[in-house]
Amino acid sequence: MEGPEVVNQQQAYSTPQYGGPPPQWGYQPPVVTQPQMSNTNNTTVVINQQSAGPAYKPPRAWSTGICGCFDDLGVCCCVWWCTPCAISQLVGDMGEHCCVPCCVPGWLVALRTKLRTQHNIQGGVMSDCCAAYYCYYCVLCQMMREVKLTRGLSP
């Protein structure tokens, strides 16, 4: 079986009636060819099939509750007596710039949402906002404990 006839590319686009660019522009249109048919049969066998993607994991709960200040007294004392130190520690542990608390309005909500998203923790932005607004120090403690636990440090 013969393939379609290949047209000389310079002839096809050298005359203005075809509307193509002039040959001096260097454009070469693609040449369409038809594959040759063969009489051989190829069989493909898949030995190891990769899965389509990771299985869905439902969101988990926070490792400690929002009022779990006694779960880690060191964190609780740090937040209560030296809040700027605790904030600096949390922001650094989360990989953010030290100016985030000073320059980003609603920074605690943003960091809480980031932490929830990264670690697949249940909740939403509205719950993050309400918790940060009404229970600022408790949220700070909870987030510090969560970061500590997810980094593999014991409380």
Side-chain angles (χ1 to χ4, degrees):
M1 173 181 244
E2 292 289 323
E5 184 178 325
V6 177
V7 178
N8 183 350
Q9 295 173 354
Q10 291 295 329
Q11 284 180 337
Y13 286 98
S14 62
T15 58
Q17 68 186 13
Y18 290 104
Q24 64 267 23
W25 288 2
Y27 173 76
Q28 296 293 324
V31 178
V32 179
T33 60
Q34 193 173 36
Q36 297 293 327
M37 303 296 282
S38 68
N39 292 336
T40 61
N41 290 331
N42 293 331
T43 304
T44 304
V45 177
V46 177
I47 297 173
N48 291 328
Q49 186 172 359
Q50 297 287 333
S51 63
Y56 171 75
K57 290 172 51 177
R60 65 176 179 85
W62 288 88
S63 299
T64 60
I66 198 165
C67 296
C69 292
F70 295 108
D71 293 344
D72 189 343
L73 285 176
V75 167
C76 183
C77 289
C78 180
V79 168
W80 185 253
W81 280 295
C82 191
T83 306
C85 297
I87 291 170
S88 176
Q89 180 69 40
L90 177 64
V91 170
D93 287 347
M94 290 188 67
E96 293 296 330
H97 194 274
C98 63
C99 292
V100 166
C102 302
C103 300
V104 177
W107 67 272
L108 189 60
V109 175
L111 286 185
R112 186 174 170 87
T113 302
K114 175 185 176 182
L115 185 63
R116 265 191 329 90
T117 304
Q118 284 180 339
H119 298 288
N120 196 24
I121 298 172
Q122 62 192 8
V125 176
M126 190 63 185
S127 65
D128 294 340
C129 186
C130 289
Y133 183 76
Y134 292 111
C135 304
Y136 180 83
Y137 293 102
C138 294
V139 164
L140 215 65
C141 287
Q142 182 187 35
M143 289 175 62
M144 288 185 72
R145 288 190 308 270
E146 192 70 36
V147 168
K148 211 171 173 183
L149 290 170
T150 55
R151 290 179 69 203
L153 305 172
S154 61

